[in-house]
Amino acid sequence: MKSKVTLKELVGTKIIYAVLLVCYYWMWARQDWHEYYVVIQNVVCVFTVVFFAMQASRIRKYSKEEKDEMAVQNLRRADAVSLKIMMIATIIIAFACGVTFLNGQMAGYTLVGLILALTVIRFIMFCIMDSKGV
């Protein structure tokens, strides 16, 4: 991987972080047990370690490169919109838990699912803003 590290690549890999969060939450919150869960847990654990090692080298390389200021501004705009979406969704989840529409486990699944969806939305917004040069 000798190519230049772009901000788009770093933002896109946040989706993998969110998928790992969903996997780990599933491992912690599930109520049943099957024999093949051990294999899934081990694969997720090994993938996490390898992925973090690869990401550390990519982030280190990115920190040494010249930054694209327009891309950084677009990322900040996408983050601002994502924060507003997260606040609204969190309030809705809190009210759903308050009126006992969601129990604790379902609220957890809803929150990690929201994080995953928001990560994908953030990446799409950033790509659109970056391609149009907003």
Side-chain angles (χ1 to χ4, degrees), residues 23-24 40 42 59 83 109:
C23 290
Y24 279 106
I40 294 172
N42 290 334
I59 291 171
L83 177 65
Y109 278 116

Side-chain angles (χ1 to χ4, degrees), residues 82 108 130:
S82 298
D130 201 40

Side-chain angles (χ1 to χ4, degrees), residues 57-73:
S57 68
R58 297 298 284 174
I59 291 171
R60 189 175 317 113
K61 184 177 178 181
Y62 178 75
S63 66
K64 294 177 183 177
E65 294 175 357
E66 187 176 330
K67 310 292 187 276
D68 180 9
E69 291 300 322
M70 185 64 140
V72 171
Q73 288 296 327

Side-chain angles (χ1 to χ4, degrees), residues 74-87:
N74 288 332
L75 181 60
R76 287 184 183 145
R77 285 187 198 105
D79 285 343
V81 173
S82 298
L83 177 65
K84 291 173 181 126
I85 294 170
M86 183 70 167
M87 291 296 295

